[in-house]
Amino acid sequence: MTLLNVEDLKVTYATDDEPVHAVNDVSFSIDEGVNYGLAGESGSGKSTVAEALLGLLPNNGAVESGTIEFDGTDLTSLSDAERRDILWEDIAYIPQSAMDSLDPVMTTGDQIAQAIHTHRNVTETKAYDRVRELFEIVGLDPDRIDDYPHEFSGGMRQRVTIAMALALEPDLIIADEPTTGLDVIVQDKIIDKILEIQERMDSSLLLITHEIGVIAETCDELSILYGGKVMEQGSVDNVLVNPTNPYTMGLKNSFPEIDEDEDPVAIPGSPPNLNREPTACVFEDRCPFATDECGESHPELVDLPNRNHRSACHRVKEAAQLRRDADEPET
Ligand code: ATP
Ligand code: MG
């Protein structure tokens, strides 16, 4: 069963200057129980997608068009406030830099209890029992619920934010860069914990990260975003093992976790200008394989013959050859 279906989502930010076209016709869907990854470099529109889904865009951000269906309801027809109310019960959100946004002058336990009180009519005792239970679930000592954020390490603070997000037993967990800024060992522990909880609660996961290796380890399916466009999409096995899009190939080479024997190579060039809606392929000026056609239009995201694999590239039919060329060391 499809839990979340996003179709042709377009989000822009108004600025004093030209608008920023941050998300351009993004479509993807997440089935119940699936771990879904959203990958892409900084500025590719990952957080904007999450905020649009949740009705949490900043004031200058707007959903221009598209549909967002959650559990059969089109959320775009609701006001941001209505959407937030519906979603809060069903979707847990761990925002980017969540662990830094805990209130420093309130105990961690009080913060979680407050979140519970806002949405559930429960007694004080019940709320704090739940806080202790949540601390245990995320691997924190329940006797520390009266500690303040600064008394915890970064990894532990992130566990607190996860506990808070889980308080209402969501169907979908959206985690935006939950491990960024943590050291590698703590990262692994946090990811393991999210997976363990997700499995236990039988919820779906939307994991947003620029670290493609984390998605390879944890997700079933993914979308790769670039310049607010989905470049490639499908099962992790298809997309990351046999990428058909030069952007994915470049991204893969820049993450040594996947091909451990190779040195990472960052993709040369800088991200696209988002002040205009894309007329050429958004990756054209950085793509080693670009042809004239690539300068004329952005390619459609098309289904590939193998199941669960889509790619937006004018040269998708030559993907196997491009992959070989991309692997050739530069001479
Ligand atoms: P990161 O990996 O750095 O978190 P991201 O993929 O989450 O990046 P977004 O934060 O969604 O990217 O930003 C997408 C684009 O929209 C970027 O070019 C960003 O500068 C721009 N943007 C984000 N928020 C605003 C805003 N409030 N006003 C104007 N532009 C914005
Ligand atoms: Mg972000």
Side-chain angles (χ1 to χ4, degrees):
M1 259 273 291
T2 304
L3 185 62
L4 177 74
N5 188 41
V6 177
E7 205 100 39
D8 297 327
L9 181 67
K10 229 184 251 240
V11 181
T12 58
Y13 291 108
T15 70
D16 291 342
D17 204 16
E18 291 164 288
V20 177
H21 296 271
V23 172
N24 300 298
D25 300 312
V26 163
S27 302
F28 64 96
S29 68
I30 304 179
D31 284 347
E32 275 173 20
V34 162
N35 290 348
Y36 201 95
L38 201 54
E41 288 170 294
S42 184
S44 57
K46 304 181 297 296
S47 297
T48 302
V49 168
E51 287 164 6
L53 301 181
L54 293 154
L56 291 175
L57 285 170
N59 286 336
N60 67 328
V63 172
E64 297 289 333
S65 55
T67 55
I68 302 167
E69 247 179 42
F70 182 75
D71 220 359
T73 307
D74 180 10
L75 302 176
T76 49
S77 57
L78 308 175
S79 71
D80 280 357
E82 286 172 321
R83 191 177 337 172
R84 250 189 326 264
D85 281 345
I86 290 190
L87 293 185
W88 203 258
E89 295 281 324
D90 301 313
I91 302 187
Y93 178 44
I94 304 167
Q96 193 162 0
S97 314
M99 62 184 173
D100 302 323
S101 59
L102 290 170
D103 187 339
V105 298
M106 201 176 179
T107 70
T108 48
D110 284 351
Q111 294 183 52
I112 300 175
Q114 193 179 56
I116 296 172
H117 276 303
T118 310
H119 300 278
R120 292 269 193 283
N121 192 8
V122 292
T123 61
E124 195 89 332
T125 319
K126 272 244 166 73
Y128 281 91
D129 284 348
R130 178 76 177 137
V131 173
R132 295 180 70 88
E133 186 184 47
L134 288 163
F135 260 53
E136 234 156 70
I137 291 173
V138 299
L140 291 171
D141 178 358
D143 288 339
R144 295 193 60 184
I145 63 169
D146 293 327
D147 284 4
Y148 289 88
H150 73 265
E151 297 177 82
F152 292 102
S153 67
M156 286 163 124
R157 279 204 299 279
Q158 189 61 305
R159 286 173 196 253
V160 172
T161 65
I162 294 168
M164 182 140 46
L166 294 174
L168 303 173
E169 302 192 332
D171 296 329
L172 175 65
I173 303 170
I174 299 183
D176 193 348
E177 304 278 5
T179 59
T180 305
L182 300 172
D183 73 55
V184 179
I185 295 169
V186 180
Q187 278 190 8
D188 281 349
K189 285 194 184 146
I190 293 286
I191 289 289
D192 285 349
K193 195 44 95 179
I194 291 177
L195 288 179
E196 185 192 310
I197 292 164
Q198 180 257 335
E199 214 159 281
R200 185 157 124 185
M201 294 193 171
D202 203 20
S203 44
S204 304
L205 173 70
L206 176 59
L207 180 67
I208 298 176
T209 175
H210 64 282
E211 288 178 273
I212 212 169
V214 171
I215 289 182
E217 278 171 41
T218 54
C219 292
D220 310 300
E221 296 176 49
L222 85 166
S223 283
I224 306 233
L225 279 189
Y226 181 74
K229 282 276 186 192
V230 175
M231 302 302 281
E232 190 157 6
Q233 177 173 82
S235 71
V236 164
D237 288 345
N238 286 335
V239 174
L240 297 184
V241 178
N242 287 313
T244 60
N245 195 293
Y247 179 63
T248 316
M249 295 172 202
L251 202 59
K252 227 185 108 174
N253 287 338
S254 63
F255 284 91
E257 300 96 300
I258 294 179
D259 295 310
E260 282 190 25
D261 47 336
E262 282 174 38
D263 288 333
V265 202
I267 307 172
S270 44
N273 176 358
L274 298 173
N275 292 132
R276 269 164 267 121
E277 278 196 75
T279 46
C281 171
V282 285
F283 190 52
E284 185 228 6
D285 59 343
R286 292 173 83 183
C287 181
F289 307 116
T291 62
D292 289 348
E293 190 185 11
C294 308
E296 285 157 16
S297 63
H298 186 84
E300 295 280 314
L301 189 66
V302 293
D303 279 307
L304 301 178
N306 46 343
R307 236 185 104 252
N308 204 357
H309 198 178
R310 286 166 291 283
S311 181
C313 174
H314 285 302
R315 299 189 66 186
V316 68
K317 291 205 169 75
E318 302 157 75
Q321 183 59 46
L322 302 187
R323 212 156 43 227
R324 281 192 291 276
D325 293 350
D327 285 341
E328 288 283 286
E330 296 267 335
T331 47

